[in-house]
Amino acid sequence: MKLYEPHEIEERRQAAWEKDQLFRVSEDGTKEKYYLLEMFPYPSGRIHMGHVRNYSIGDVIARYKRMKGFNVLHPMGWDAFGMPAENAAIERGIQPATWTHENIDYMRKQLKRLGFGYDWTREIATCDVEYYRWEQWIFLKMFERGLVYRKSSPVNYCPKCQTVLANEQVEGGACWRCSEEVIQKELTQWFFAITQYADELYDYCDRLPGWPEKVLSMQKNWIGKSYGVEVDFRLEDGSPLTIFTTRPDTLYGVTFMVLAPEHPFSGVLALGTPYEHDVHAFIDRAKAQDRSFRAETEIKKEGVFTGKYAINPLTDTKIPIYIGNFVLMGYGTGAIMSVPAHDQRDFEFAKTFDLPLIVTIVPEDGALDPAAMTEAYEADGIMVNSGTFVGMKNREAIPKIIDFIEEKGMGKGKVNFRLRDWGISRQRYWGTPIPVIYCDDCGIVPVPYEDLPVVLPLDLEIKVVGKSPLAECAEFYNVHCPKCGKPAKRETDTMDTFVESSWYFLRYTCPQYDEGPLDRKKVDYWAPVDQYIGGVEHAVLHLLYSRFFNRVLNDLGLMGAREPFKNLLTQGMVIKDGSKMSKSKGNVVDPDYLIEKYGADTARLFCLFASPPEKDLDWSDKGVEGSFRFLQRVWRLVADRAEALQGVEAYLVPEERESDYIQLAHKIHKTIKKVTEDIERFHLNTAIASIMELVNTTYKFIEMERKEKAALSLLKGAIETVIMLLFPFVPHIAEELWGQIETGGRLLGAYWPVWDEAYVKDEKVMVVVQINGKLRDSCEVERDMEEAQLKEIIFGLEKIQRYVEGTEIIKTIIVPNKLVNIVCR
RNA sequence: GCCUGGGUGGCGGAAUAGGUAGACGCAAGGGACUUAAAAUCCCUCGGUCCUCGCGGCUGUACGAGUUCGAUUCUCGUCCUAGGCACCA
């Protein structure tokens, strides 16, 4: 018998796949397409176990779908722009481009060594000019449509990364990448108008049944849609002061207003009054508190009275106007109405400043005494003190009050979003240059399409200092204005790297197309991605940006699909010793080491078997050994009798009626069914478990030592089935074993086995007997037996008789072929 | 505080539509083979009680409920992970 030598086998098989270009695909109208994609990696140097897991899952699905006859697009590429390349450049004096490409070369080899089947002719590296030139092209199209604009605003800035961060990239006041505390800085930035799509992005969350509930809820949470009304309060001089509220049912309980420090009225209301000095001192102080500080929990609510009053349009009551540090200028109108009786924040503020409470909603079965309240009543109830709305349920009153306000011209219904526009300017070098030129005379001038690409110079010296190297490269930024020809300056900021990953999955469909970003025919054949697989950490950032970008490209007429990813699978992290694998924790397992010790098939198998894809995977060295042992067991099963099986015809149905045969035949068909259905729903761990069971059953059959030809035929059928079912998981060993038994020239991987429903059902079934729901006995009977006959057998059981004796039988419940429950007293 | 998930043996995890809880694997214990070891193979393996039987009781975070029957459905409680968090 040949020994199982994974390295030799794997190298040989991989070379053959490469030679035959096995995974290369093109559009084919005769087959159903299936676009399978895993999130592409950042080329950090080497792949880690998270990648191995992600891509192993993907490879199973890709190979399975191919066996099922789909035309499977399964590409791979590199999210190649980003800061680590610059840091490496600074630390080691190596060009970011060189560093990145060396990493890509190494990691590509690693992926190939794991045996993942990609169409490498479609490989993309986002740092290649042929990729980012089309991103610049898209930028210009977006600019024409007003989807890109420039504005000065306070931005999140990471002092360590020395660049701006989008709101989504700030996690609890810290940089998402390096965890440095984020500060506020006033900068002029480019923005993508993602808020124009906020409503649609929100609503479509309900039309993505193939996405995990969790991700959709995170996206909805982030977009933060809320229905309310804008109401015009009036200053005493008649000028309007508009607020936004989601609780118009509390409008009659407003006792004061609060403005954000940045509100245009904040600086002027107190002018010339005794309050002026205090107000300005407060505003200065509040503005100095940067965003991250303001975001801290338990920040004390502070405020100052402006000395001015406004009129509540519903009640004509005069109410004082305050400025408060807790009101955000960026949401709603930057001014709020305060209802201390029904909003906890307002309640606290009112207590501090000794402001009155007016109750407008009471619990259905009680009353509220403003003087006795220790917290705001935020729940639903019945309207009181509310003009014509008294007596209504507050929920029902809300739309009526909005109608009333609109009728009287006091305001209008409004939907607000938490989502902000996406700031994409980064003061970094290793990214896509923003294709814009600033001219003293003509202002902002987009680079003409014929001048694209704006190429990122590769021969720059990267220094530590704050400024982007591009801003110091005169050859780069000194240009002539495309409009008037006068000397002008090129934009030296680059784009956020999330821009590249927002459309790479579309470019895979036509990576060499040179007349535009997308070849409409090809992209419409493949898009949308049928199955996307990646880490849940991208639930908001990457996935939301991609949904936005896909819509923009759709609106630009570049493609037909509206949503980018039909189905999404978010895989869990790889955990070891209780925490995520990381260098700092010193608990990383190196894929190279695993491949060297056990081979790629074992590494893949363990990642797939140890836990279902969505869950975190607990690393276990012993578990890896177990996977290796299983493969050796399979190897022996086949290799030990490879010669004996030569020339034997494989049967999946028993030629003999003896129970050994029948049992094995049934097991084969049941396993095919189970594995098929499990792969379809991504229960890859249980799919493997059931293949293991088939292997165990096959060994048991062998122990019977049946020598007839029929036994060999069925055995061969079982073995062929094991190999075919294993192929998507561990393709190298499967192919090798397939080659060892003579299989009539059939090609492994070309088709998926089918089960015969007749053999899925056992001829004899074990029926368990319960008495009053408690398990008492069981017996084996013919399948689909007549109820009367079954009852006769059951009640004839000695044990059951003993239990039933002396009781009154109320009823007998029969679950066919499974269970009988006798209810008695 | 709000919104999602999730709590099952010593461990990773099964149980697809309410019907035998613990598949498969790991670890552990016992045995076979061997001069010995490795490898391999076989047996045991939730808890508990006894009269050690193809025995009884109990058991899927906890407490109720629906049901002939609940890991599964409903309500409440606790714990835990993730997301959002002065968003008016």
Side-chain angles (χ1 to χ4, degrees):
Chain A
M1 183 192 81
K2 272 176 80 179
L3 279 176
Y4 174 41
E5 289 173 303
H7 301 113
E8 187 270 326
I9 294 168
E10 288 169 7
E11 269 176 44
R12 192 151 38 76
R13 292 293 150 193
Q14 286 159 15
W17 297 337
E18 189 141 348
K19 183 171 156 279
D20 297 343
Q21 303 225 26
L22 208 62
F23 303 100
R24 191 167 180 176
V25 284
S26 56
E27 302 71 41
D28 177 351
T30 66
K31 280 187 185 168
E32 194 173 342
K33 71 97 181 177
Y34 191 84
Y35 185 0
L36 174 76
L37 183 68
E38 300 108 53
M39 292 179 184
F40 65 168
Y42 178 79
S44 58
R46 12 183 65 208
I47 60 164
H48 53 68
M49 286 316 301
H51 293 130
V52 176
R53 186 180 191 199
N54 190 174
Y55 303 149
S56 294
I57 296 165
D59 204 47
V60 172
I61 306 303
R63 287 175 188 267
Y64 165 77
K65 286 287 178 183
R66 189 173 286 116
M67 287 168 96
K68 291 280 273 185
F70 288 87
N71 190 28
V72 178
L73 173 57
H74 190 212
M76 183 43 74
W78 312 95
D79 191 10
F81 273 137
M83 292 218 345
E86 271 180 79
N87 294 339
I90 291 162
E91 280 163 26
R92 305 200 233 144
I94 184 173
Q95 289 295 335
T98 312
W99 183 84
T100 303
H101 281 112
E102 280 174 3
N103 288 346
I104 288 175
D105 287 342
Y106 187 80
M107 290 169 77
R108 190 192 300 108
K109 266 189 213 139
Q110 287 185 301
L111 294 182
K112 287 186 175 175
R113 278 221 285 159
L114 281 158
F116 300 133
Y118 300 117
D119 181 351
W120 285 107
T121 65
R122 293 170 185 268
E123 182 180 358
I124 286 171
T126 57
C127 63
D128 288 347
V129 184
E130 286 314 306
Y131 183 77
Y132 71 70
R133 69 176 298 167
W134 297 114
E135 191 163 302
Q136 294 173 334
W137 188 96
I138 294 166
F139 179 97
L140 295 176
K141 286 286 176 193
M142 288 172 74
F143 182 79
E144 285 171 14
R145 294 215 165 197
L147 289 168
V148 182
Y149 64 93
R150 202 167 115 98
K151 74 170 180 195
S152 171
S153 70
V155 292
N156 309 301
Y157 188 84
C158 173
K160 196 171 172 192
C161 300
Q162 294 172 344
T163 192
V164 161
L165 301 170
N167 281 336
E168 290 88 330
Q169 293 162 355
V170 181
E171 295 171 347
C175 173
W176 71 285
R177 186 180 278 282
C178 70
S179 300
E180 183 81 4
E181 188 173 327
V182 170
I183 60 165
Q184 292 302 110
K185 224 178 172 180
E186 187 79 16
L187 273 176
T188 304
Q189 299 283 306
W190 285 99
F191 287 85
F192 282 163
I194 190 171
T195 54
Q196 287 189 25
Y197 291 83
D199 214 358
E200 194 194 330
L201 289 168
Y202 186 93
D203 288 346
Y204 268 68
C205 284
D206 296 327
R207 298 194 220 167
L208 289 169
W211 282 43
E213 195 55 45
K214 181 184 168 168
V215 174
L216 294 173
S217 118
M218 281 166 74
Q219 293 220 347
K220 278 184 159 185
N221 211 331
W222 188 264
I223 298 166
K225 183 178 186 176
S226 48
Y227 299 87
V229 59
E230 278 186 2
V231 184
D232 299 326
F233 283 58
R234 303 228 158 242
L235 299 184
E236 284 173 294
D237 66 7
S239 48
L241 173 53
T242 307
I243 59 92
F244 172 76
T245 181
T246 55
R247 291 294 302 275
D249 51 327
T250 63
L251 262 164
Y252 288 86
V254 176
T255 57
F256 57 97
M257 299 180 76
V258 189
L259 308 182
E262 299 87 356
H263 193 283
F265 285 5
S266 293
V268 297
L269 284 179
L271 286 178
T273 74
Y275 299 95
E276 182 177 342
H277 177 77
D278 285 353
V279 167
H280 284 132
F282 178 82
I283 292 174
D284 289 346
R285 201 147 38 86
K287 282 185 177 171
Q289 299 175 335
D290 64 47
R291 190 192 167 85
S292 60
F293 177 70
R294 277 219 239 171
E296 271 173 44
T297 46
E298 300 304 314
I299 177 185
K300 199 170 174 322
K301 286 184 186 45
E302 290 172 28
V304 65
F305 179 46
T306 60
K308 287 284 166 59
Y309 294 84
I311 309 294
N312 181 338
L314 265 76
T315 59
D316 287 330
T317 328
K318 203 169 107 172
I319 50 174
I321 304 172
Y322 284 74
I323 296 167
N325 63 344
F326 62 96
V327 179
L328 304 172
M329 192 57 219
Y331 184 80
T333 60
I336 62 167
M337 64 176 209
S338 288
V339 188
H342 301 296
D343 183 289
Q344 189 56 26
R345 293 159 299 180
D346 297 347
F347 183 89
E348 286 165 26
F349 196 85
K351 287 293 164 198
T352 311
F353 289 89
D354 205 21
L355 293 158
L357 272 66
I358 300 174
V359 169
T360 64
I361 297 166
V362 294
E364 292 206 29
D365 54 354
L368 285 175
D369 174 13
M373 288 171 76
T374 55
E375 58 179 9
Y377 178 75
E378 295 183 331
D380 291 336
I382 304 295
M383 306 279 292
V384 295
N385 294 330
S386 301
T388 57
F389 303 100
V390 166
M392 294 174 123
K393 286 187 176 174
N394 71 309
R395 289 281 144 199
E396 290 163 12
I398 289 173
K400 298 205 165 76
I401 295 176
I402 294 176
D403 288 348
F404 180 78
I405 288 167
E406 288 184 343
E407 268 169 43
K408 298 273 178 185
M410 298 166 180
K412 57 181 189 305
K414 174 104 206 252
V415 174
N416 257 324
F417 296 95
R418 215 188 64 104
L419 183 71
R420 308 295 152 82
D421 278 340
W422 175 13
I424 58 146
S425 298
R426 296 292 180 271
Q427 294 70 47
R428 304 295 308 192
Y429 157 70
W430 192 232
T432 302
I434 294 173
V436 162
I437 287 162
Y438 303 105
C439 170
D440 284 341
D441 292 343
C442 311
I444 296 172
V445 182
V447 172
Y449 288 98
E450 59 270 24
D451 291 352
L452 292 183
V454 177
V455 177
L456 190 66
L458 296 181
D459 52 349
L460 293 189
E461 196 190 338
I462 317 290
K463 285 176 284 185
V464 189
V465 282
K467 257 187 156 182
S468 157
L470 291 181
E472 312 208 313
C473 175
E475 304 91 85
F476 179 76
Y477 65 70
N478 277 332
V479 287
H480 291 281
C481 172
K483 265 192 188 162
C484 67
K486 279 188 199 156
K489 292 258 188 293
R490 195 186 281 291
E491 169 69 86
T492 58
D493 282 353
T494 52
M495 291 190 218
D496 182 1
T497 57
F498 275 102
V499 180
E500 284 89 66
S501 55
S502 294
W503 70 287
Y504 76 106
F505 47 91
L506 299 170
R507 184 68 183 175
Y508 275 142
T509 66
C510 49
Q512 280 95 30
Y513 188 60
D514 60 3
E515 288 165 44
L518 299 173
D519 182 339
R520 177 89 202 226
K521 264 176 88 176
K522 290 185 171 173
V523 73
D524 281 351
Y525 175 83
W526 293 109
V529 172
D530 292 279
Q531 183 65 54
Y532 198 29
I533 308 174
V536 73
E537 62 272 20
H538 293 111
V540 176
L541 299 163
H542 162 57
L543 291 170
L544 189 63
Y545 293 150
S546 296
R547 294 181 62 212
F548 160 63
F549 238 73
N550 204 94
R551 284 173 165 74
V552 170
L553 297 178
N554 176 257
D555 285 342
L556 289 171
L558 296 172
M559 59 173 297
R562 196 73 179 156
E563 281 285 349
F565 313 118
K566 198 169 164 196
N567 297 292
L568 175 69
L569 177 71
T570 48
Q571 115 252 9
M573 291 184 301
V574 181
I575 305 282
K576 195 181 179 221
D577 309 325
S579 55
K580 187 181 174 175
M581 280 189 185
S582 71
K583 265 187 212 147
S584 58
K585 297 239 171 56
N587 60 350
V588 286
V589 175
D590 181 16
D592 280 353
Y593 162 80
L594 267 186
I595 295 171
E596 219 161 284
K597 190 160 180 198
Y598 302 103
D601 281 335
T602 297
R604 295 167 56 126
L605 186 69
F606 175 74
C607 286
L608 298 165
F609 177 63
S611 120
E614 326 77 62
K615 272 205 183 181
D616 286 348
L617 182 149
D618 236 19
W619 192 261
S620 153
D621 292 331
K622 293 284 187 185
V624 180
E625 300 252 8
S627 295
F628 186 56
R629 268 205 297 271
F630 170 69
L631 290 181
Q632 286 181 301
R633 193 165 146 80
V634 174
W635 179 269
R636 286 194 306 271
L637 175 69
V638 185
D640 274 356
R641 44 195 62 77
E643 271 181 45
L645 294 173
Q646 296 282 338
V648 173
E649 206 170 340
Y651 279 129
L652 293 185
V653 293
E655 288 181 292
E656 302 281 340
R657 298 308 301 162
E658 283 165 76
S659 71
D660 301 343
Y661 285 83
I662 289 170
Q663 269 176 22
L664 179 58
H666 279 278
K667 190 68 184 177
I668 292 169
H669 289 272
K670 279 198 247 183
T671 307
I672 296 171
K673 181 177 184 178
K674 169 97 176 129
V675 172
T676 306
E677 289 174 353
D678 276 355
I679 293 178
E680 291 283 352
R681 60 187 185 134
F682 300 107
H683 289 211
L684 306 183
N685 55 331
T686 52
I688 293 166
S690 60
I691 301 173
M692 288 173 169
E693 284 187 58
L694 177 57
V695 170
N696 293 344
T697 307
T698 307
Y699 266 112
K700 289 224 171 72
F701 182 78
I702 289 167
E703 272 169 40
M704 301 296 160
E705 299 202 27
R706 317 214 64 133
K707 300 288 185 222
E708 315 83 276
K709 196 175 147 282
L712 265 188
S713 282
L714 187 60
L715 180 60
K716 187 160 179 183
I719 284 174
E720 284 195 4
T721 304
V722 166
I723 296 173
M724 282 192 281
L725 295 179
L726 274 177
F727 179 69
F729 302 91
V730 284
H732 311 91
I733 188 175
E735 262 195 9
E736 186 66 17
L737 292 174
W738 191 257
Q740 283 188 20
I741 54 174
E742 182 261 318
T743 54
R746 284 174 301 157
L747 196 64
L748 183 64
Y751 68 96
W752 184 249
V754 285
W755 70 89
D756 182 342
E757 197 63 39
Y759 283 98
V760 168
K761 293 174 179 151
D762 286 314
E763 291 166 13
K764 292 207 166 175
V765 289
M766 189 64 84
V767 169
V768 298
V769 188
Q770 296 182 338
I771 307 234
N772 292 330
K774 283 195 179 174
L775 183 68
R776 293 302 178 195
D777 205 352
S778 62
C779 72
E780 195 177 61
V781 299
E782 294 291 317
R783 123 175 311 279
D784 298 328
M785 184 181 274
E786 294 280 318
E787 283 199 6
Q789 198 189 347
L790 180 64
K791 271 189 187 176
E792 199 177 308
I793 294 173
I794 297 299
F795 282 100
L797 291 169
E798 191 194 319
K799 222 174 147 188
I800 298 306
Q801 279 185 338
R802 237 188 301 138
Y803 272 101
V804 170
E805 206 169 53
T807 62
E808 182 196 346
I809 291 164
I810 294 159
K811 58 175 162 175
T812 307
I813 287 144
I814 296 174
V815 182
N817 300 320
K818 258 196 184 145
L819 169 147
V820 176
N821 187 14
I822 301 165
V823 186
C824 60
R825 221 177 0 225

